[in-house]
Amino acid sequence: MVKTTSEPRSISFSQYSLGSTCAYRWKLKYIDGHTEDSNINLVFGTAIHAVIQHWLTLFYSDPAKAKSFDMNEMLKLELIDGAKKELLVDGKQLTTPEELSEFYNDGCKILDHVRKHGRTWFPSTGHSLVGIEIPLLLDIGRNLKFKGYIDIVMYQKATKTYTIYDFKTSGRGWRDYQKKDPNKIDQLLLYKKYYGDLLGVPADSIQVEFIILKRKIPENTEFPVKHISGFVPAHGKPSVKKAMERLETWIDKKF
């Protein structure tokens, strides 16, 4: 049992997800304070998030700059910087130039699809960009606060609805089992609940969607496959309630 202190303790979805899947790793990281080595997949995910989010900021604030913005160049710089900071441990490099080059080339393909098909999620008219990396910090009882950052929030003026988007990088996309995994989908369900509380708006005015960024796509397929795809999990009241119940159960056990 983890004892609480006078100061509220913050828990994030990543902490909850890790604790739900591996109690030992959770203890090592969040109780014993051990850090885990990064890897090329995490560095790549952080880098391509940064590029797309910067492009979106320009797209809605200065379309001319967005059009001329060199997404590939920023990706290269982000990957190099990430490799220096995260993949050099005790003098040992955790990646190779060949691996970095492969991830860079895959990322360029993803970014090309973002340029061509991004308006599926981010139309230029009738929608506005509410924010990027929007912080959540809400009191959830038991001397705990839920802490998180929402990748993208859009607002549709005609319907007066918000949409929360979360980017997920993946080798080859999500299979059915991943789309049914609470340790993945509960993230957006909890964000929907807590963002609604933060704004003070009805739950049905907030939609959620994962945007899957696939590094590899099958060759010689019957139909063309894009490097990006959307997945909308069930996010009505029953689904959000179950996600909240799972979180509450985990908190009861840990705290």
Side-chain angles (χ1 to χ4, degrees):
M1 181 68 69
V2 179
K3 295 180 180 180
T4 59
T5 63
S6 58
E7 289 296 321
R9 181 189 182 102
S10 296
I11 61 172
S12 63
F13 180 79
S14 59
Q15 178 181 352
Y16 161 53
S17 178
L18 179 61
S20 299
T21 54
C22 184
Y24 178 68
R25 285 179 60 202
W26 179 85
K27 178 180 179 299
L28 283 178
K29 183 173 182 178
Y30 293 101
I31 303 301
D32 300 337
H34 289 222
T35 57
E36 296 180 324
D37 289 341
S38 187
N39 59 65
I40 185 61
N41 290 291
L42 293 176
V43 168
F44 175 76
T46 299
I48 204 158
H49 268 68
V51 176
I52 296 174
Q53 289 172 335
H54 185 69
W55 173 77
L56 273 176
T57 301
L58 293 177
F59 182 75
Y60 283 99
S61 63
D62 194 335
K65 284 187 178 180
K67 191 173 182 179
S68 62
F69 170 53
D70 192 338
M71 300 173 80
N72 294 354
E73 178 65 16
M74 181 177 175
L75 176 64
K76 180 174 70 174
L77 296 176
E78 291 286 332
L79 283 174
I80 293 172
D81 186 58
K84 289 179 179 178
K85 292 180 178 178
E86 304 291 336
L87 301 180
L88 184 62
V89 180
D90 297 329
K92 181 182 179 181
Q93 188 69 57
L94 302 182
T95 187
T96 64
E98 292 77 15
E99 187 176 54
L100 274 175
S101 179
E102 178 184 353
F103 273 77
Y104 169 72
N105 290 328
D106 291 342
C108 289
K109 293 174 184 176
I110 291 172
L111 295 176
D112 183 56
H113 278 250
V114 170
R115 290 188 197 93
K116 293 177 179 177
H117 306 288
R119 287 173 179 78
T120 300
W121 296 274
F122 310 111
S124 57
T125 58
H127 294 70
S128 59
L129 177 64
V130 176
I132 289 172
E133 291 294 326
I134 294 178
L136 290 176
L137 188 62
L138 293 95
D139 189 343
I140 58 175
R142 299 177 181 80
N143 205 38
L144 296 171
K145 287 183 178 293
F146 183 87
K147 180 180 180 179
Y149 293 89
I150 302 175
D151 280 353
I152 303 288
V153 176
M154 299 292 301
Y155 181 70
Q156 185 175 2
K157 300 172 184 177
T159 59
K160 297 181 180 179
T161 57
Y162 298 86
T163 301
I164 294 174
Y165 291 107
D166 190 81
F167 293 111
K168 294 297 183 188
T169 53
S170 172
R172 298 184 182 275
W174 280 11
R175 302 291 185 256
D176 286 343
Y177 77 91
Q178 292 166 304
K179 295 178 180 179
K180 297 175 182 177
D181 184 358
N183 283 306
K184 292 187 181 296
I185 64 173
D186 279 6
Q187 180 180 7
L188 284 189
L189 301 182
L190 295 174
Y191 282 5
K192 170 174 176 164
K193 169 67 170 62
Y194 292 132
Y195 189 59
D197 291 347
L198 187 67
L199 293 182
V201 300
D204 58 6
S205 68
I206 300 178
Q207 310 299 313
V208 300
E209 185 170 356
F210 290 103
I211 299 178
I212 315 300
L213 308 173
K214 294 172 280 189
R215 289 201 306 112
K216 306 292 186 182
I217 58 175
E219 296 181 359
N220 302 319
T221 56
E222 184 178 356
F223 302 101
V225 179
K226 297 183 178 69
H227 279 274
I228 58 173
S229 62
F231 168 59
V232 180
H235 57 279
K237 290 182 179 179
S239 298
V240 173
K241 181 181 178 182
K242 288 179 181 178
M244 291 296 297
E245 289 173 349
R246 285 189 285 266
L247 176 63
E248 292 285 337
T249 299
W250 180 79
I251 288 175
D252 286 340
K253 291 180 180 178
K254 295 294 182 183
F255 299 93

